[in-house]
Amino acid sequence: MRLLLLNGNTDAAITAMLARHAAEAIPRLGLPAAELDAVTAAFGARYIATRAAVAVAGHAVLAALAEHVGPDNPRGYDAALIACFGEPGIEAAREVMPIPVVGMAEASIAAALAIAPRIALLTGGALWVPMLEEFALVRGHGRDRVLVRGVTPTGDMIARDPDGAVALLAEVAREAVADGAGAVVLGGAGLAGLAARVAPSVPVPVLDSLDCALAAALGGRTLAVRVAQAPAVGLSAPLARWFG
Amino acid sequence: MRLLLLNGNTDAAITAMLARHAAEAIPRLGLPAAELDAVTAAFGARYIATRAAVAVAGHAVLAALAEHVGPDNPRGYDAALIACFGEPGIEAAREVMPIPVVGMAEASIAAALAIAPRIALLTGGALWVPMLEEFALVRGHGRDRVLVRGVTPTGDMIARDPDGAVALLAEVAREAVADGAGAVVLGGAGLAGLAARVAPSVPVPVLDSLDCALAAALGGRTLAVRVAQAPAVGLSAPLARWFG
Amino acid sequence: MRLLLLNGNTDAAITAMLARHAAEAIPRLGLPAAELDAVTAAFGARYIATRAAVAVAGHAVLAALAEHVGPDNPRGYDAALIACFGEPGIEAAREVMPIPVVGMAEASIAAALAIAPRIALLTGGALWVPMLEEFALVRGHGRDRVLVRGVTPTGDMIARDPDGAVALLAEVAREAVADGAGAVVLGGAGLAGLAARVAPSVPVPVLDSLDCALAAALGGRTLAVRVAQAPAVGLSAPLARWFG
Amino acid sequence: MRLLLLNGNTDAAITAMLARHAAEAIPRLGLPAAELDAVTAAFGARYIATRAAVAVAGHAVLAALAEHVGPDNPRGYDAALIACFGEPGIEAAREVMPIPVVGMAEASIAAALAIAPRIALLTGGALWVPMLEEFALVRGHGRDRVLVRGVTPTGDMIARDPDGAVALLAEVAREAVADGAGAVVLGGAGLAGLAARVAPSVPVPVLDSLDCALAAALGGRTLAVRVAQAPAVGLSAPLARWFG
Amino acid sequence: MRLLLLNGNTDAAITAMLARHAAEAIPRLGLPAAELDAVTAAFGARYIATRAAVAVAGHAVLAALAEHVGPDNPRGYDAALIACFGEPGIEAAREVMPIPVVGMAEASIAAALAIAPRIALLTGGALWVPMLEEFALVRGHGRDRVLVRGVTPTGDMIARDPDGAVALLAEVAREAVADGAGAVVLGGAGLAGLAARVAPSVPVPVLDSLDCALAAALGGRTLAVRVAQAPAVGLSAPLARWFG
Amino acid sequence: MRLLLLNGNTDAAITAMLARHAAEAIPRLGLPAAELDAVTAAFGARYIATRAAVAVAGHAVLAALAEHVGPDNPRGYDAALIACFGEPGIEAAREVMPIPVVGMAEASIAAALAIAPRIALLTGGALWVPMLEEFALVRGHGRDRVLVRGVTPTGDMIARDPDGAVALLAEVAREAVADGAGAVVLGGAGLAGLAARVAPSVPVPVLDSLDCALAAALGGRTLAVRVAQAPAVGLSAPLARWFG
């Protein structure tokens, strides 16, 4: 398979980091081998953190997809992955693209809701909170189903100092669990790779938004999560084993 | 891969039909080759069409999964697919199963919403309508997002006389499109295989719920659907090509 | 009147406790005298606290109603009361039962909403929280209207050590009041009889879910709750008396 | 028992008609015998059909309850029934009244939702439609759960020519059934007594709003409604009987 | 322009205070000069703080508008402003009034939502909280969009001791900001004039509900609120200036 | 006052038409005299009718505002009006603009909801329907409150042949009234000026989206709409006059 990884931010260091994380994640997740082309949006904010930056990025994402895929997809991509959480322009891209377009927030929400009925999205930058709530809302998920939580440092700050962010992210994730979240997504290009470090101190599954998008693009599957059962009577023998 | 296909209905003829359709669908959908084991629920209604039948089937699905997978999955299944649209017991199964559990309605809703912001589920048996609306609602999708439409013949009647049902299903599908649905799911074990025959007379994509569930279980990807664009000015050359 | 009291849990000690509480409650609530038959589900979890246990209980409740009432109700019951909060199988039972079927959660929600526009359900066992939220949601009550709160001990633990639970329940009830609940339901077979002990330290009415279900089954009425009024001018003399 | 029946309209002929229908309904519904006092609001519209009339009626209802019950209820009423569908002032009355206050719309919605997950309220006067939708909404029931339908003649026109209204009401009721309503309420003082005449040509239960309010005030119970089941296998013998 | 300012409370001291604040606000807000007639409701609660008082006030507001404007508006008012937050009777008044009718809560919600996607209404008197939530709900704004917060002292208590209330109001406003409110309305006749004193210790705009209503009645405009942007690349020179 | 009128479409003929309609509307609506500068977006679709065109227009609107207003507003505009219904980039513009930014859809929804509890937006181009529904949804208005209806011709087709569109628009407007809309907005730059021609054959107020936006930008007021009342008794003499 061949996958276009498009960074909607204009910071090429983030693109390189995303490519590195993706190359590591694909075998770890048991996904089919894929050739990855990582490209950077040509114009717009270095790291998208405001509505104005999102408005510009919608255009920039379309322009980049036009350049790298175009109407005829001469390089034969199997899918495009918009590597920006809240994926500006994704629905516009779907109108014109000849191949599937996957986004990090969409894929993460779907993956997390397959695990638990209420989930949390945790990202960098407070201004993303209402934007992601609206993103979830127009996809049918109200604020009592998809909790959105932000930490003050933006995603690029976190990417530059991941060690400093792990404890803060874990704390906010635990607060979301206390509010009923049964799974937590660490969302954003800048947070790629941190889920594994945050997970040990959070009592529910912690998902990486890049992992989720890769699995959606390349064909991954749901996690299994088990719950302890109390004793029961009168059941078939195999069923009774589950009820301990 | 190895997949357990569990028919929640107790009619083995439906199970055989599901296995036949699944074997045909996997290569057609470009999914990884998989060994399929098709099993039938041991007790409950021959074809589930009422709340009472659903209540019994929740237990029967758990009991069958306990028997064929159990806590330790000795046969090494990669996933279980509950082949009953509205999949009784799926959330209960997820509490106890050591492998992912996929359901036809859940997978179909996710696949269709990736194509269009409003979709329709079309199934056999009028009593399924409120049950599927509730199914969608507890997953965050209100009735203005996931339209549920029923035809009077139940799924098993349709399975026994598919030729007679095609025109009726196409008509109800077109009515759903007139109500704003941008994709239509033909849902139910009894309707497996009919989407290809209904699709030619419906102006939006028509999905087969078994196809959707197989793709979710074995790793499939979103469809690409394109929209014609009006002329534009001042864009980059590649982007302008999309705007004709 | 003759009432069938069906414990959806398979622990006969809980059934005996429910029967005792019901016999005490009927005269206390001013309900018509009723002959009570208390029966226990024949299979399933000893105390229902997970989705898997609920899935089995839906079948078990139907099977018990079939055994004790059946299509023809030879013993002449006037109503059946499913004594399990979140009442597995109640809508299925209503499809087939020749007599009214009352559930503890449904009756409690209705009784509490007649007192206050926002209410809280408080029960034992954290896994019940999302299940009861979904229960309320499919009946039209969102999470901002019916607050669901759980304490960690499950209902059967509370039933075995009620003295230890009273302070905890009162504390969580007061938190729900701080979140805007104008009435609190103590829900669950295991919590029957505790409302009177919790109420003195909670500033809004505290309802017992068994009381609510008995009143719904045997014909009870709404509570009157009064609010102090400020002085007013220009009103009729009788009306002015209410405005102090 | 002693019941105050308060007509919020100022037309005494409607009050007399309500008293007559209530006296007939109580034994028909198997409710406890009750002494009925029917009184008429002292000021406001002859028949309430606009928001301006509702605004005045809120005051008039309070003033009448103050006069006939007052803070001390010297005549010993057990409950008050506001016999106006959409019951102006009911929540205000509950703040001050020493006895339960029942309303026709509230009681009808509760009774109908105990029968079916989606119901319709059908009343006279087009301006009532948005008012009743808001009435349902603040009680937690959206427009996809409680359908509100109006016929052009107002309730007092219908009361003066019930024969002329039966066919129209039946037609609109059937349209509501086609929109998914599983029970229909004929709402309004002017429509009291018509449900029995409309019901034969409507395929779901048709409820009289005065009946529902009387049952709520005096202690009535839910209807039993049964659904035909398909054959099933592997069930206990009594349960299998229900699955024919 | 000529504006009728109607105090729905029956305390003339509040009316005088409202007139004083309005005369001061009109030039401060840059609104067109207007002749103000301030009148007091003739009957009802001195300060409206309960549902019973609201029910009476709906009638009193209509009666006062009938007396001062009537069907023919002989004094030539351009608009009427119901100076009571939660404006009893406003929709009824609109049915009959020959001129626009503006309310404090409606105007405040609209003004605040033009600034931020989630806002808070902060008022005196705990019983107003559910009433204002319902007020917002029937206008389409759920509790996750319009947060309603109350302080224990009622509006008239605050009007008599504004100095004592400023710190409390600021604290509750800050809590609402922590819950995501991007603008806070101080609502109620008794709180008129306090926004300027509360604003310095609140990090988002604090609006005065009388200001908002005056602007809606006399023609005011939205505030501009700016957000800091991160650096961006590839933009036009003027656009790049905004991205610093 | 000085107003920047920004056409988000790139067709200058539409800009000229908008300027002509605005110049005519300001005195007709009784708005303050204003100097109007009408400008055209520099890049993007000639007439915006798809999500891809909207994505580009968000950037183009920001770029045009940056060019004509900039951070310092040297020409002294009092407000900017984005003359494109569904106003791409409006929330982004508000983050950076030093002056208020008004949009046609936002202003129209607010103006129409001040007249009626359920309204319809009617525009050209079927693809706008889901986009405007999402626009309303993130502003808190569900599909049962703001009905969105599209006609097949896009706005620019309608602008080129308005005579041909009037009958079609009136028909769809009447259908929306039959679905409960109490006011209808004709939305879109291409439909400016048609409301007056459509209104005579529609039984509820028909609003022009450019009029609504101009009133919001320059300070307009709500319409008064009256409802006939039935006779009433016991009211004050002035109030009784309204109840005929």
Side-chain angles (χ1 to χ4, degrees):
Chain A
M1 300 187 77
R2 188 167 189 186
L3 180 68
L4 179 71
L5 190 69
L6 166 56
N7 180 14
N9 307 287
T10 57
D11 183 345
I14 296 277
T15 312
M17 188 197 71
L18 284 164
R20 211 163 51 235
H21 281 297
E24 171 274 327
I26 289 171
R28 173 172 48 81
L29 298 168
L31 297 172
E35 185 175 348
L36 283 177
D37 290 349
V39 301
T40 307
F43 55 90
R46 286 210 175 278
Y47 199 88
I48 300 167
T50 64
R51 289 185 191 271
V54 167
V56 173
H59 181 194
V61 160
L62 274 189
L65 293 172
E67 182 181 344
H68 296 287
V69 182
D72 305 323
N73 189 22
R75 295 177 216 169
Y77 288 113
D78 293 288
L81 191 167
I82 304 181
C84 174
F85 198 75
E87 41 257 28
I90 190 167
E91 296 209 334
R94 287 201 178 115
E95 282 190 348
V96 291
M97 285 278 284
I99 56 171
V101 185
V102 168
M104 288 167 83
E106 258 191 17
S108 299
I109 290 172
L113 285 176
I115 297 173
R118 191 180 320 162
I119 67 163
L121 308 182
L122 173 47
T123 194
L127 293 176
W128 269 111
V129 174
M131 288 194 279
L132 287 168
E133 287 178 344
E134 294 168 12
F135 183 94
L137 184 63
V138 301
R139 281 154 182 83
H141 306 298
R143 286 175 47 182
D144 57 355
R145 183 162 174 81
V146 173
L147 312 179
V148 183
R149 300 288 182 263
V151 296
T152 302
T154 58
D156 61 333
M157 295 178 194
I158 293 172
R160 286 194 300 265
D161 178 19
D163 295 344
V166 165
L168 174 61
L169 291 167
E171 181 190 338
V172 179
R174 284 191 302 267
E175 289 171 6
V177 174
D179 289 340
V184 175
V185 174
L186 292 197
L191 282 70
L194 291 183
R197 298 178 59 188
V198 169
S201 50
V202 176
V204 301
V206 178
L207 307 182
D208 180 304
S209 65
L210 179 59
D211 284 4
C212 295
L214 288 166
L218 300 173
R221 290 171 304 126
T222 310
L223 295 174
V225 178
R226 301 173 73 173
V227 168
Q229 301 293 323
V233 301
L235 305 183
S236 70
L239 183 53
R241 286 186 58 202
W242 271 334
F243 286 81
Chain B
M1 302 188 76
R2 188 167 189 187
L3 179 68
L4 180 71
L5 190 70
L6 166 56
N7 180 14
N9 306 287
T10 57
D11 181 345
I14 297 276
T15 311
M17 187 197 73
L18 283 164
R20 212 163 51 235
H21 281 297
E24 172 274 327
I26 289 171
R28 172 172 48 81
L29 299 168
L31 297 173
E35 185 176 349
L36 285 178
D37 289 350
V39 300
T40 308
F43 55 90
R46 287 209 173 278
Y47 200 87
I48 300 167
T50 63
R51 291 184 190 272
V54 167
V56 173
H59 181 192
V61 160
L62 275 188
L65 293 172
E67 181 181 345
H68 296 286
V69 184
D72 306 323
N73 189 21
R75 294 175 217 170
Y77 288 112
D78 292 287
L81 192 166
I82 304 181
C84 174
F85 198 74
E87 42 258 26
I90 189 166
E91 297 209 335
R94 286 200 178 115
E95 281 189 350
V96 290
M97 285 277 285
I99 56 171
V101 183
V102 168
M104 290 168 83
E106 259 192 16
S108 298
I109 291 171
L113 286 175
I115 297 173
R118 191 182 319 163
I119 66 162
L121 308 183
L122 173 47
T123 194
L127 293 176
W128 269 109
V129 174
M131 289 193 280
L132 287 169
E133 287 179 345
E134 294 167 14
F135 183 93
L137 183 64
V138 300
R139 282 154 182 83
H141 305 298
R143 285 175 49 181
D144 57 355
R145 184 163 174 82
V146 173
L147 312 178
V148 182
R149 300 288 182 264
V151 295
T152 302
T154 57
D156 60 333
M157 295 179 194
I158 294 171
R160 285 194 299 263
D161 178 20
D163 295 344
V166 166
L168 173 61
L169 291 167
E171 181 190 338
V172 178
R174 285 192 302 267
E175 289 170 6
V177 173
D179 290 339
V184 176
V185 173
L186 292 197
L191 282 71
L194 290 183
R197 298 177 60 187
V198 169
S201 49
V202 176
V204 302
V206 178
L207 308 182
D208 180 305
S209 65
L210 179 60
D211 283 5
C212 295
L214 288 166
L218 299 174
R221 288 172 305 127
T222 310
L223 295 175
V225 179
R226 302 175 72 173
V227 169
Q229 300 293 324
V233 301
L235 304 183
S236 71
L239 184 52
R241 286 185 61 202
W242 271 334
F243 285 81
Chain C
M1 302 187 76
R2 188 166 188 186
L3 180 67
L4 179 71
L5 191 69
L6 167 56
N7 181 14
N9 306 286
T10 56
D11 182 344
I14 297 277
T15 311
M17 187 197 74
L18 283 164
R20 212 164 50 236
H21 281 297
E24 172 273 328
I26 288 171
R28 172 171 49 81
L29 298 168
L31 297 173
E35 185 175 348
L36 285 177
D37 289 350
V39 300
T40 307
F43 55 89
R46 286 209 175 278
Y47 199 87
I48 301 167
T50 64
R51 290 183 191 271
V54 166
V56 173
H59 181 191
V61 159
L62 274 188
L65 293 172
E67 181 181 345
H68 296 285
V69 182
D72 305 323
N73 189 22
R75 293 177 217 168
Y77 288 112
D78 292 287
L81 192 167
I82 303 181
C84 174
F85 199 74
E87 42 255 29
I90 189 166
E91 296 208 337
R94 286 200 178 116
E95 282 189 349
V96 291
M97 285 277 285
I99 55 171
V101 184
V102 168
M104 288 167 83
E106 259 192 17
S108 299
I109 291 172
L113 285 175
I115 297 175
R118 191 181 320 162
I119 66 162
L121 307 183
L122 173 48
T123 194
L127 293 176
W128 269 110
V129 173
M131 289 194 279
L132 287 169
E133 287 178 344
E134 294 168 12
F135 183 94
L137 184 63
V138 299
R139 282 154 182 84
H141 306 297
R143 284 175 49 181
D144 57 356
R145 183 163 175 81
V146 173
L147 314 178
V148 182
R149 301 288 182 263
V151 295
T152 303
T154 57
D156 61 333
M157 295 178 195
I158 293 171
R160 285 195 299 265
D161 177 19
D163 295 344
V166 165
L168 173 61
L169 291 167
E171 182 190 338
V172 179
R174 284 191 302 266
E175 290 171 6
V177 173
D179 288 340
V184 176
V185 173
L186 292 198
L191 282 70
L194 291 183
R197 297 178 59 186
V198 169
S201 51
V202 176
V204 301
V206 178
L207 307 183
D208 180 303
S209 65
L210 179 59
D211 284 4
C212 295
L214 288 167
L218 300 174
R221 287 174 305 129
T222 311
L223 295 175
V225 179
R226 302 174 73 173
V227 168
Q229 300 293 323
V233 301
L235 304 184
S236 71
L239 184 52
R241 288 186 58 202
W242 271 335
F243 285 80
Chain D
M1 300 187 77
R2 188 167 188 186
L3 180 68
L4 180 71
L5 189 71
L6 167 56
N7 180 15
N9 306 286
T10 57
D11 182 344
I14 297 277
T15 312
M17 188 197 72
L18 284 164
R20 210 162 52 235
H21 280 298
E24 172 274 328
I26 289 172
R28 172 172 48 81
L29 299 168
L31 297 172
E35 184 177 349
L36 285 177
D37 290 349
V39 299
T40 308
F43 55 89
R46 285 208 174 279
Y47 199 87
I48 300 168
T50 64
R51 289 184 191 272
V54 167
V56 172
H59 181 191
V61 160
L62 274 189
L65 292 172
E67 181 181 344
H68 296 287
V69 182
D72 306 322
N73 189 23
R75 293 176 218 171
Y77 287 113
D78 291 287
L81 191 167
I82 303 182
C84 174
F85 198 74
E87 41 256 28
I90 189 166
E91 296 208 338
R94 286 200 178 117
E95 282 189 349
V96 290
M97 284 278 285
I99 56 172
V101 184
V102 168
M104 289 167 83
E106 260 192 16
S108 298
I109 292 171
L113 286 174
I115 297 174
R118 191 181 318 162
I119 66 162
L121 307 183
L122 172 48
T123 193
L127 294 176
W128 269 111
V129 174
M131 289 194 279
L132 287 169
E133 287 179 344
E134 294 168 12
F135 183 93
L137 183 63
V138 300
R139 281 154 183 83
H141 306 297
R143 284 175 49 180
D144 57 354
R145 184 162 173 81
V146 172
L147 313 178
V148 183
R149 300 290 182 262
V151 294
T152 303
T154 57
D156 60 332
M157 295 178 195
I158 294 171
R160 285 195 300 265
D161 177 19
D163 295 344
V166 166
L168 173 61
L169 292 168
E171 183 190 337
V172 179
R174 284 192 302 266
E175 289 171 7
V177 173
D179 289 339
V184 176
V185 174
L186 292 197
L191 283 71
L194 291 183
R197 298 178 59 186
V198 169
S201 50
V202 176
V204 301
V206 178
L207 307 183
D208 180 305
S209 65
L210 179 59
D211 284 5
C212 294
L214 288 167
L218 300 174
R221 288 171 306 127
T222 310
L223 296 174
V225 179
R226 302 174 73 171
V227 168
Q229 302 293 324
V233 302
L235 304 184
S236 70
L239 184 52
R241 287 185 60 200
W242 271 333
F243 285 80
Chain E
M1 300 187 78
R2 187 166 190 187
L3 181 67
L4 180 71
L5 190 71
L6 167 55
N7 180 13
N9 305 288
T10 57
D11 182 344
I14 297 277
T15 312
M17 187 197 72
L18 283 164
R20 211 164 52 235
H21 280 298
E24 172 274 328
I26 289 172
R28 172 171 49 82
L29 298 169
L31 297 172
E35 185 175 347
L36 284 177
D37 290 349
V39 300
T40 308
F43 56 89
R46 287 212 172 275
Y47 200 87
I48 300 167
T50 63
R51 290 183 190 270
V54 166
V56 173
H59 181 193
V61 159
L62 274 189
L65 292 172
E67 181 181 346
H68 296 286
V69 182
D72 305 323
N73 189 20
R75 294 176 217 170
Y77 287 112
D78 291 287
L81 191 166
I82 303 181
C84 174
F85 198 74
E87 42 257 28
I90 189 167
E91 296 209 335
R94 286 199 178 117
E95 282 189 350
V96 291
M97 284 279 285
I99 56 172
V101 184
V102 168
M104 289 168 83
E106 259 192 16
S108 298
I109 291 171
L113 285 175
I115 297 172
R118 192 182 320 163
I119 66 162
L121 307 182
L122 173 48
T123 194
L127 293 176
W128 269 110
V129 173
M131 289 193 279
L132 287 169
E133 288 178 344
E134 293 168 12
F135 183 94
L137 183 63
V138 299
R139 282 154 182 83
H141 306 297
R143 284 175 48 179
D144 56 354
R145 184 165 175 79
V146 173
L147 312 179
V148 183
R149 299 290 183 262
V151 295
T152 303
T154 58
D156 61 333
M157 294 179 195
I158 294 172
R160 285 195 301 263
D161 177 19
D163 295 344
V166 166
L168 174 61
L169 291 168
E171 182 190 338
V172 179
R174 285 192 302 267
E175 289 171 6
V177 173
D179 289 340
V184 175
V185 174
L186 293 197
L191 282 70
L194 290 184
R197 298 177 60 187
V198 169
S201 50
V202 176
V204 301
V206 178
L207 307 182
D208 179 304
S209 66
L210 179 58
D211 284 5
C212 295
L214 288 167
L218 300 174
R221 287 173 307 128
T222 311
L223 295 174
V225 178
R226 302 174 73 173
V227 168
Q229 300 293 324
V233 301
L235 304 184
S236 70
L239 183 53
R241 287 185 59 202
W242 271 333
F243 285 80
Chain F
M1 301 187 76
R2 189 167 189 186
L3 180 67
L4 180 71
L5 190 69
L6 166 57
N7 181 14
N9 306 287
T10 57
D11 182 344
I14 296 277
T15 312
M17 188 197 72
L18 283 164
R20 211 163 52 236
H21 280 298
E24 172 273 328
I26 289 172
R28 172 171 49 81
L29 298 169
L31 297 172
E35 186 175 349
L36 285 177
D37 289 350
V39 301
T40 307
F43 56 88
R46 287 209 174 278
Y47 199 87
I48 301 166
T50 63
R51 289 183 191 271
V54 166
V56 173
H59 181 192
V61 160
L62 274 188
L65 293 173
E67 181 181 345
H68 296 286
V69 182
D72 306 323
N73 189 21
R75 294 176 216 170
Y77 288 112
D78 292 287
L81 191 166
I82 304 181
C84 175
F85 198 74
E87 42 256 29
I90 190 166
E91 296 209 336
R94 286 201 178 115
E95 282 190 350
V96 291
M97 285 277 286
I99 56 172
V101 184
V102 168
M104 288 168 84
E106 259 192 16
S108 298
I109 291 171
L113 285 176
I115 297 173
R118 191 183 318 163
I119 66 163
L121 307 181
L122 172 48
T123 194
L127 293 176
W128 269 111
V129 174
M131 289 194 278
L132 288 169
E133 287 178 344
E134 293 168 13
F135 183 93
L137 184 63
V138 299
R139 283 154 182 84
H141 306 298
R143 284 175 50 181
D144 57 355
R145 183 164 174 82
V146 173
L147 312 178
V148 183
R149 300 289 182 263
V151 295
T152 303
T154 58
D156 61 333
M157 295 180 194
I158 294 172
R160 286 195 301 265
D161 177 19
D163 295 344
V166 166
L168 174 61
L169 292 167
E171 182 189 337
V172 179
R174 284 192 302 267
E175 289 171 7
V177 173
D179 289 339
V184 175
V185 173
L186 292 196
L191 283 69
L194 290 184
R197 296 178 60 188
V198 169
S201 50
V202 177
V204 302
V206 177
L207 307 182
D208 179 305
S209 65
L210 179 59
D211 284 5
C212 295
L214 289 167
L218 300 174
R221 288 171 306 128
T222 310
L223 295 174
V225 179
R226 302 173 73 172
V227 169
Q229 300 294 323
V233 300
L235 305 183
S236 71
L239 184 53
R241 287 186 59 202
W242 271 334
F243 285 80

